[in-house]
């Protein structure tokens, strides 16, 4: 254990943060600056699987998790060590989610493009029918992303919502559209 680390002082610091003491809150904000640094370092070591936007979202999400779990901090290590562990776990989760989303997007793109023998008009009609059945903002986001080739940020600006909300709607919509497309395919196979 670090001879300079004082567990009691660290616990007192966290209690002062919970009490809303101004100096403790200011110091806590300074110490939380380790979150983006840790996540950037983890992303760099992994070959940058997350882009800047995803990394910024992850920083915000991780800070919220730290705040939610702060009452569980037992001060066996300095708070930055505890935060590092949370950052590490959240980074791994984000990379896994990103991989699953990329895989679903790739699979859906393959479904949209269809095998070579399918005419583009037929595929186009199925996708539009699927999006019509899906309806709502999720279908609208998918249309803007694929047909207008807009970024999540531009879609968010157009819709007046944060890019993170757009991403949630997009990936949720893709999952629902995938199920709709499977249903179409099953009907065609039976016919």
């Amino acid at each position: 254990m670090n001879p300079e680390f004082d567990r009691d002082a660290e616990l007192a610091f966290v209690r002062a943060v919970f009490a809303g003491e101004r100096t403790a809150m200011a110091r806590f904000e300074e110490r939380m600056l380790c979150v983006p640094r840790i996540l950037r370092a983890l992303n760099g070591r992994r070959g940058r699987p997350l882009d800047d936007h995803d990394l910024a979202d992850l920083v915000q999400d991780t800070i919220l998790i730290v705040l939610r779990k702060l009452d569980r901090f037992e001060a066996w290590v300095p708070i930055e060590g505890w935060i590092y562990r949370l950052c590490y776990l959240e980074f791994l989760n984000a990379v896994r989610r990103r991989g699953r989303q990329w895989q679903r997007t790739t699979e859906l793109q393959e479904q949209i493009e269809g095998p070579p023998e399918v005419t583009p008009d037929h595929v186009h009609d199925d996708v539009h029918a699927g999006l019509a059945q899906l309806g709502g903002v999720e279908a609208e986001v998918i249309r803007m992303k694929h047909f207008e080739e807009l970024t999540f940020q531009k879609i968010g600006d157009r819709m007046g919502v944060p890019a993170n909300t757009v991403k949630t709607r997009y990936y949720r919509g893709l999952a629902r559209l995938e199920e709709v497309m499977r249903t179409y395919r099953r009907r065609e196979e039976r016919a």
Side-chain angles (χ1 to χ4, degrees):
M1 185 179 241
N2 184 346
E4 297 175 21
F5 173 67
D6 182 351
R7 180 173 187 253
D8 293 331
E10 200 75 345
L11 287 171
F13 167 71
V14 171
R15 280 192 300 273
V17 169
F18 277 116
E21 293 178 18
R22 187 171 279 189
T23 55
M25 295 293 288
R27 179 71 182 124
F28 182 70
E29 287 178 27
E30 288 174 19
R31 292 178 80 177
M32 289 294 288
L33 292 175
C34 70
V35 172
R37 288 193 306 264
I38 291 168
L39 290 171
R40 273 195 306 274
L42 290 169
N43 196 42
R45 283 188 216 136
R46 273 287 184 97
R48 305 197 190 300
L50 302 178
D51 62 22
D52 291 341
H53 182 75
D54 290 334
L55 198 57
D57 288 345
L58 181 59
V59 167
Q60 291 175 7
D61 293 344
T62 304
I63 288 172
L64 289 175
I65 290 168
V66 168
L67 293 173
R68 253 194 336 261
K69 294 185 176 192
L70 190 58
D71 63 333
R72 299 181 201 159
F73 176 63
E74 295 179 358
W76 296 112
V77 296
I79 198 165
E80 290 84 358
W82 180 75
I83 289 172
Y84 177 87
R85 183 71 179 153
L86 292 175
C87 287
Y88 179 75
L89 294 173
E90 289 307 308
F91 175 78
L92 291 179
N93 288 337
V95 170
R96 279 189 215 109
R97 277 191 308 271
R98 179 85 167 145
R100 285 192 304 265
Q101 291 168 347
W102 181 82
Q103 183 179 5
R104 276 192 233 127
T105 302
T106 302
E107 289 170 358
L108 184 59
Q109 188 64 36
E110 289 170 0
Q111 290 175 10
I112 290 171
E113 291 172 359
E117 66 272 4
V118 176
T119 64
D121 291 338
H122 181 265
V123 172
H124 187 74
D125 291 343
D126 284 353
V127 171
H128 281 287
L131 287 170
Q133 183 175 345
L134 181 65
V137 293
E138 292 169 351
E140 185 179 347
V141 167
I142 292 170
R143 283 186 189 102
M144 285 190 265
K145 181 75 175 154
H146 286 278
F147 301 148
E148 297 180 44
E149 298 180 353
L150 297 176
T151 64
F152 290 124
Q153 186 62 51
K154 288 182 180 175
I155 295 169
D157 292 345
R158 188 181 284 186
M159 298 179 86
V161 297
N164 223 15
T165 301
V166 172
K167 287 167 89 172
T168 300
R169 291 174 179 171
Y170 173 74
Y171 289 114
R172 186 175 41 221
L174 281 181
R176 290 182 57 213
L177 181 60
E178 184 177 14
E179 185 56 39
V180 168
M181 299 299 286
R182 273 194 213 121
T183 302
Y184 280 145
R185 235 181 292 127
R186 279 183 280 215
R187 285 183 198 152
E188 286 179 3
E189 288 172 1
R190 285 187 219 139

